[in-house]
Amino acid sequence: MNGKRLAAEPRELVGKNNNNRLRADGFIPAIVYSHGKSEAIKIKNKDFFSLFKGSISESVIFSIDIAGRNDDDMAFIKDAQIDPVTGAILHLDLFKVTKGEKIRTNIPIELVGTPIGIKSGGVFIHGEREIFVQCLPAHLPEKIVVDISAMEMGDLITVSELEISDDVEILTTLENIVAAVDQPRAEEEPEEELEEETDEETTEEGETAAEAVEEK
């Protein structure tokens, strides 16, 4: 379909201790799901990162070759557990793609350019960073690129305005904001400080009046 291929091996031993040993040996424990069935596999770190350079995306479909079976199975990453401290991948969930069957997954949105409205003092708002879609695997784009360089102050781009094939059904709410350039907020003095100043003025006036009475 797209030339992307990922090799994997079946694994018989599961559980926390066995998974830790796999990681120490340079593997990522994973599970492949397909229509209620599942298979435990392991993937070499170097093989995985040669395919996924940078971020992991659900929209990348690849051939999954388990132990050289050459089944021509296609799959995509549905979930990745990542260590919050080291950034290492702890576990992967893969879903097999069935030919002729639509899939539901997320497509990342990539914003390019700098809005001209920011130069006028506008505030940039980054909304949706991905959209949820349904389509046939062959029609799934890896990402959606949005040029925001022409956006002026007050402009916004919603999900409904994204340029995407008619073969892809967007399931995310169409009115959701992708990007916007908002008006800057006017600075206001804190109400508490104004109240304190008013109280001080009232106290000073009271003290002055009291002093005048005493002098009389």
Side-chain angles (χ1 to χ4, degrees), residues 3 20 29 43 52 58 102 119-120 131 142 179:
N20 286 337
I43 302 167
F52 289 92
E58 292 183 24
K102 291 184 177 181
K119 299 177 182 178
S120 305
I131 57 170
E142 290 190 8

Side-chain angles (χ1 to χ4, degrees), residues 81-90:
Q81 297 179 19
I82 300 175
D83 190 301
V85 177
T86 65
I89 299 176
L90 302 178

Side-chain angles (χ1 to χ4, degrees), residues 97-110:
V97 173
T98 302
K99 187 176 181 180
E101 183 178 287
K102 291 184 177 181
I103 61 173
R104 291 187 172 193
T105 188
N106 289 298
I107 303 175
I109 300 172
E110 180 181 326

